[in-house]
Amino acid sequence: MKRKLAALLCSVLLLTGCGNDNTLPKCADLITTTDREISVSVSRIDNLPSDFLMGADVSSYLSIDKSGAVYYDYDGNKLDMDGFFALLKSSGMDIVRFRVWNDPYDDKGRGYGGGNCDTQAAVTMGQSATKAGLQVMIDFHYSDFWADPNKQMTPKAWLVMSDDEKEAALESFTRESLTKLKDAGVNVTIVSVGNETDNGMSGETGWAERCSLYNAGSRAIREVFSDALIAVHYSNPEHDYVTYAKHLADYNVDYDIFGTSYYPCWHGSLENLTSVMKEIADITGKRVMVLETSWAYTLEDGDGNGNTVSHEENSDNPYYSFSVQGQADEISSVTQAIADVGDAALGCLYWEPAWIPVNYYNPQGRDADKVLEANRKAWEKYGSGWASSYASVYDPADAGVYYGGSAVDNQALFDFAGYALDSLNTFRYMREGHEAEGLTLSQIIMPAPISLEYGEDIHDYLPMTVRGELDNKQRLTFNVEWDEEELAGITEVGEYTAHCTITDEIPGSDGTPRKVMIKVNILPENLLINGDMERGDATGWTISDPMAGITTDDPYRGDYSLHFWSEGQVSFTASQSITAGADGELVFSMKAQGGDMGDGHIVKIVVTNESTGASVEGSVTLAGWQKWQETGSIGDSGIPSLEAGAGDKITLEIVVSGAAGGWGTIDDVFLAYK
Ligand code: CA
């Protein structure tokens, strides 16, 4: 009941818009969302090293606070800065991270945005964090604005310097910045020399130059904070970290922590994260950390500046649900993955949980235009968006064109109105374990339809588990039992529905058996050899070029597919011939997915009766990754079947051509009697 009421309030109140600007309605206290009431379930992580650090980068907090936005605790109490950092501490964080830019201002002193994160901002927030009992990590970008794998711009003041001068300037900048923090009593325990420096730092791309700069930073860190640990930071565990580590060793870089970012949409599997970081720890003897990760609790935008993770880009995801529970699942599984490295694992930090909208912007709201205008003013004045227009002098190509608000407000651990979400408690829950109470199963995720050929055993294809979602969007896997009596009748060619029953206990259930259905399609016997590619090699097929071959990349069904990719023009055929065993009509089909094939590309299938000269063909236009397209006389009544007489030679040829860089997979190629 409580939840329904909240949802109703939400739909009414959100229409009015909300703001902290004086000219806007003061309704932030009244805004409510159902997300806020949802409690999350988190399994206890048993193998955390004793000194493991949980935490987050909250660099934008101060500029959001200055812009007038308000943060609230779990009970709806307003938080001042000390209260905010105390909430992070009581939610299980040990450490907070602040980025520091050298000089994020134009010549009139106007901030570039992205929090206007200079040393003074780190001092102000760092004092409050220290008071709350949190450790502080300083993340030097050694740039005047954002530094990442695509951008490592030299600070303005260093542009005219020689390499030696730049090294000296970096050392003295680090010394001065850290001395200010030390004098202010900030408890700095980790300092990062550079941010995501995979491809360079401060305008230097060579490893020799970069390593000299790292060491200049390290000298100053050891001098000012002799007990602090020094981190290097790279962006993606799918990059060649082993080579990076070798360069660091070859150039005698003085560091303690090899850190990585890990964003699940872009940075590979958790298994890879664990194995790469374990290898690095083994090779280097250093500690390892995840320095950035995050997940969205919604695909909505809250501030009027479109988000990186959005309905447009991410409507289906194979990872976690876009929900408060999804955030808890992401944080805990990434933490588990780094903990699985062993004693070398030192921590896992969430990125920007506090980067909320200045004012909640709802494009349908009555005051929408006013709200957006107020947000734009704040982004310019206080730097609370990712970039202000003033950054254009320093970063004309990116900030100069796209300056605006936050692209990550839906990844915060506070909702759009500033109320703490229970996902913020994940840091605490991971040490203790936490079960949300009163949850019920809200939906079963329908298992994908299965197809098998006549004569194959259906048990080889039926899933043994189904996935369900609780009302807090937590996804669980349930074991099932199939109805064997029903399966015994599913043997002839045709479409069927099969049923199973969940055998595991279902949260919130009164014990009534829960049935789940699946669609089954029994296909006629395939006359092709290895048409489903499941032999795992090219058996049966003649493939004209090594740009195509049987691999485990993106199969439609089973474990293998015919995969292709070419740096140059895509051009190949895959074919096979059979002898017709009887008089009859032949039908065919093919599944394909892929992209980057350019205009006028061809993915065609041609079936020819060599004895009569007659042929039929179908084609598909590739529509993107895992967007499967089908063609053939089975799937398309517009394509006629092909007449065959006993003993006729039938050739099936797949013809693919497209632009350089084209890629895709072909699977489930089928030739059968109608
Ligand atoms: Ca946004």
Side-chain angles (χ1 to χ4, degrees):
M1 189 59 212
K2 197 180 168 199
R3 185 161 288 137
K4 270 193 186 143
L5 180 65
L8 187 65
L9 270 174
C10 170
S11 63
V12 174
L13 289 166
L14 296 192
L15 287 175
T16 65
C18 247
N20 307 297
D21 187 281
N22 287 336
T23 61
L24 295 169
K26 288 277 181 193
C27 62
D29 305 75
L30 297 174
I31 278 195
T32 180
T33 72
T34 53
D35 291 333
R36 197 179 303 151
E37 296 178 11
I38 290 169
S39 183
V40 300
S41 295
V42 177
S43 299
R44 189 183 116 93
I45 300 180
D46 293 322
N47 58 342
L48 289 172
S50 57
D51 60 354
F52 193 87
L53 299 170
M54 314 257 191
D57 187 311
V58 289
S59 299
S60 295
Y61 169 80
L62 188 61
S63 65
I64 295 285
D65 179 60
K66 281 182 179 169
S67 299
V70 181
Y71 295 83
Y72 302 85
D73 68 13
Y74 304 105
D75 298 322
N77 301 306
K78 283 188 188 186
L79 300 169
D80 61 9
M81 193 183 309
D82 286 351
F84 169 80
F85 283 102
L87 178 71
L88 300 188
K89 173 74 179 170
S90 68
S91 300
M93 290 194 196
D94 308 296
I95 188 164
V96 285
R97 172 181 185 245
F98 303 116
R99 62 178 165 272
V100 170
W101 290 319
N102 287 43
D103 179 26
Y105 300 96
D106 73 1
D107 55 5
K108 294 192 175 64
R110 297 174 299 196
Y112 290 167
N116 293 344
C117 292
D118 57 9
T119 299
Q120 185 51 49
V123 166
T124 305
M125 292 186 280
Q127 283 181 310
S128 191
T130 301
K131 201 192 289 183
L134 291 159
Q135 300 179 38
V136 171
M137 170 173 179
I138 297 298
D139 171 28
F140 286 116
H141 284 218
Y142 296 127
S143 181
D144 289 342
F145 204 37
W146 297 104
D148 58 42
N150 299 316
K151 235 194 288 200
Q152 289 284 341
M153 292 165 70
T154 315
K156 293 179 286 288
W158 301 357
L159 279 169
V160 294
M161 293 181 180
S162 68
D163 284 358
D164 287 349
E165 288 169 338
K166 195 191 273 190
E167 195 182 314
L170 189 146
E171 185 174 344
S172 68
F173 173 78
T174 307
R175 185 185 302 110
E176 282 163 26
S177 180
L178 292 180
T179 302
K180 279 181 196 157
L181 286 152
K182 190 177 191 183
D183 291 348
V186 178
N187 181 26
V188 176
T189 59
I190 302 178
V191 182
S192 177
V193 285
N195 188 76
E196 296 189 334
T197 59
D198 306 60
N199 300 318
M201 189 169 87
S202 297
E204 300 292 344
T205 53
W207 277 98
E209 294 79 9
R210 203 184 318 171
C211 289
S212 297
L213 293 178
Y214 291 148
N215 270 333
S218 296
R219 283 194 296 275
I221 297 163
R222 297 278 186 230
E223 184 186 321
V224 182
F225 284 107
S226 55
D227 293 335
L229 298 178
I230 298 169
V232 291
H233 175 201
Y234 303 101
S235 71
N236 182 352
E238 291 193 311
H239 290 173
D240 189 0
Y241 280 4
V242 171
T243 301
Y244 295 3
K246 187 174 183 309
H247 286 305
L248 296 173
D250 289 348
Y251 291 105
N252 293 312
V253 173
D254 176 18
Y255 73 105
D256 308 298
I257 300 166
F258 192 107
T260 185
S261 297
Y262 177 78
Y263 293 97
C265 291
W266 306 298
H267 296 157
S269 68
L270 289 169
E271 293 73 24
N272 185 62
L273 171 67
T274 305
S275 76
V276 168
M277 298 314 276
K278 175 147 187 16
E279 188 178 7
I280 290 297
D282 290 346
I283 292 171
T284 63
K286 310 288 185 187
R287 305 298 297 268
V288 293
M289 274 181 92
V290 171
L291 292 175
E292 296 182 16
T293 191
S294 74
W295 192 252
Y297 69 90
T298 173
L299 291 171
E300 301 299 322
D301 166 46
D303 72 347
N305 182 96
N307 291 338
T308 315
V309 174
S310 61
H311 286 291
E312 294 74 29
E313 299 291 330
N314 303 79
S315 55
D316 12 285
N317 83 90
Y319 309 101
Y320 314 97
S321 62
F322 292 109
S323 64
V324 179
Q325 178 66 46
Q327 291 184 310
D329 291 340
E330 196 267 352
I331 295 168
S332 55
S333 60
V334 175
T335 304
Q336 180 71 67
I338 195 74
D340 286 345
V341 165
D343 286 342
L346 184 59
C348 183
L349 307 188
Y350 196 82
W351 194 71
E352 291 280 16
W355 201 349
I356 59 171
V358 174
N359 303 284
Y360 173 67
Y361 169 72
N362 170 15
Q364 271 85 49
R366 205 173 55 208
D367 291 312
D369 293 348
K370 254 182 168 178
V371 173
L372 188 56
E373 191 49 37
N375 282 353
R376 288 195 173 127
K377 274 188 189 153
W379 300 337
E380 290 288 281
K381 187 169 179 188
Y382 301 107
S384 40
W386 85 269
S388 74
S389 65
Y390 312 122
S392 63
V393 289
Y394 185 67
D395 180 17
D398 196 0
V401 181
Y402 304 109
Y403 67 88
S406 170
V408 293
D409 47 63
N410 58 339
Q411 300 183 48
L413 301 176
F414 294 82
D415 72 9
F416 291 152
Y419 289 81
L421 298 170
D422 198 37
S423 45
L424 180 61
N425 270 322
T426 306
F427 305 95
R428 180 160 63 86
Y429 294 159
M430 285 187 287
R431 293 191 191 276
E432 301 163 359
H434 184 259
E435 271 300 311
E437 282 172 17
L439 296 177
T440 56
L441 184 67
S442 64
Q443 63 157 326
I444 290 287
I445 299 164
M446 276 280 292
I450 59 166
S451 301
L452 59 148
E453 287 170 27
Y454 175 81
E456 288 187 303
D457 186 352
I458 192 169
H459 296 92
D460 293 344
Y461 292 89
L462 289 170
M464 295 316 294
T465 58
V466 297
R467 301 195 77 200
E469 203 165 85
L470 304 183
D471 50 9
N472 71 345
K473 303 277 176 67
Q474 183 179 7
R475 291 185 184 174
L476 297 179
T477 300
F478 299 100
N479 289 298
V480 295
E481 217 163 64
W482 293 93
D483 180 346
E484 289 296 334
E485 222 168 285
E486 184 181 53
L487 294 184
I490 303 180
T491 53
E492 298 301 317
V493 173
E495 291 184 358
Y496 301 85
T497 305
H499 297 82
C500 61
T501 308
I502 291 178
T503 53
D504 291 324
E505 196 179 315
I506 300 171
S509 162
D510 60 2
T512 314
R514 182 79 188 236
K515 289 205 162 193
V516 183
M517 58 167 262
I518 191 169
K519 288 189 171 159
V520 179
N521 187 12
I522 301 198
L523 304 162
E525 194 179 355
N526 198 347
L527 302 178
L528 298 174
I529 297 164
N530 197 21
D532 58 6
M533 321 295 169
E534 290 306 300
R535 300 273 182 101
D537 58 30
T539 303
W541 294 99
T542 303
I543 300 171
S544 69
D545 191 283
M547 72 176 66
I550 311 299
T551 73
T552 53
D553 293 282
D554 298 323
Y556 174 75
R557 192 168 66 102
D559 299 323
Y560 296 94
S561 68
L562 173 63
H563 173 74
F564 65 89
W565 177 78
S566 173
E567 203 170 3
Q569 293 275 313
V570 172
S571 177
F572 72 92
T573 60
S575 58
Q576 61 175 284
S577 297
I578 58 129
T579 303
D583 293 351
E585 306 255 317
L586 293 175
V587 289
F588 68 99
S589 70
M590 171 183 78
K591 297 263 189 337
Q593 64 94 38
D596 296 335
M597 292 279 278
D599 294 337
H601 82 261
I602 299 168
V603 179
K604 197 165 72 168
I605 178 166
V606 187
V607 185
T608 306
N609 185 333
E610 306 287 356
S611 308
T612 65
S615 73
V616 288
E617 64 177 68
S619 65
V620 294
T621 300
L622 297 182
W625 184 58
Q626 291 187 350
K627 303 236 159 75
W628 288 95
Q629 308 296 311
E630 181 176 8
T631 186
S633 51
I634 297 177
D636 182 351
S637 57
I639 299 174
S641 53
L642 182 71
E643 274 187 39
D648 286 355
K649 187 184 172 195
I650 310 295
T651 300
L652 178 143
E653 187 178 43
I654 298 163
V655 183
V656 182
S657 73
W663 54 273
T665 60
I666 291 166
D667 203 357
D668 256 11
V669 186
F670 213 79
L671 182 65
Y673 282 102
K674 198 172 176 179

